[in-house]
Amino acid sequence: EIGNDVYPPARRCLLSHGIACPRRQAVQLTAADYEKYDWILYMEEYNRPGIRRILPEDPAGKIHRLLDFTKRPRDVDDPWYTGDFETAYRDIREGCLALLEHLEREHG
């Protein structure tokens, strides 16, 4: 999907929740991203080995599965395969809210 815009069914789901979705372009994670970003989040365990090939070390503890911040750690079911963008939206929202709570607890 590198170079592609947001998948149209995902865009429709976001818009139905009042979330603007301007043009985006998918990019590949790079080793330089480790220094550039404070957090590197992934949605499903399937992605972890690929991330670890690009970023074999994580000395700052930046790499996390998003839903590990929730009370029910799990993968986000990939809507590309399930076709269920609404459940993916709810899971991602839950993960983002849990991450925000984590940041507030840990960093004020």
Side-chain angles (χ1 to χ4, degrees):
E1 293 300 312
I2 294 170
N4 288 343
D5 194 8
V6 175
Y7 190 53
R11 181 183 306 279
R12 284 191 295 275
C13 181
L14 291 170
L15 291 173
S16 77
H17 289 279
I19 298 171
C21 190
R23 176 136 176 78
R24 301 272 193 268
Q25 186 175 20
V27 297
Q28 176 69 48
L29 179 70
T30 68
D33 289 333
Y34 194 81
E35 295 304 319
K36 186 176 180 182
Y37 298 106
D38 293 329
W39 296 86
I40 297 174
L41 304 171
Y42 60 97
M43 302 294 174
E44 55 187 348
E45 202 56 41
Y46 174 80
N47 296 123
R48 185 175 166 77
I51 291 168
R52 298 310 270 178
R53 274 192 299 279
I54 296 165
L55 302 170
E57 303 295 323
D58 183 17
K62 296 180 176 188
I63 302 170
H64 300 274
R65 185 173 62 166
L66 179 63
L67 293 181
D68 284 348
F69 291 98
T70 71
K71 293 178 181 167
R72 293 184 317 125
R74 63 200 185 280
D75 286 349
V76 172
D77 287 335
D78 189 336
W80 179 264
Y81 298 105
T82 67
D84 187 355
F85 289 88
E86 192 60 37
T87 296
Y89 169 83
R90 285 193 306 268
D91 285 349
I92 293 166
R93 184 177 189 280
E94 177 186 356
C96 289
L97 290 172
L99 174 59
L100 179 59
E101 288 175 11
H102 170 81
L103 292 171
E104 289 173 336
R105 271 192 317 275
E106 298 294 317
H107 305 285

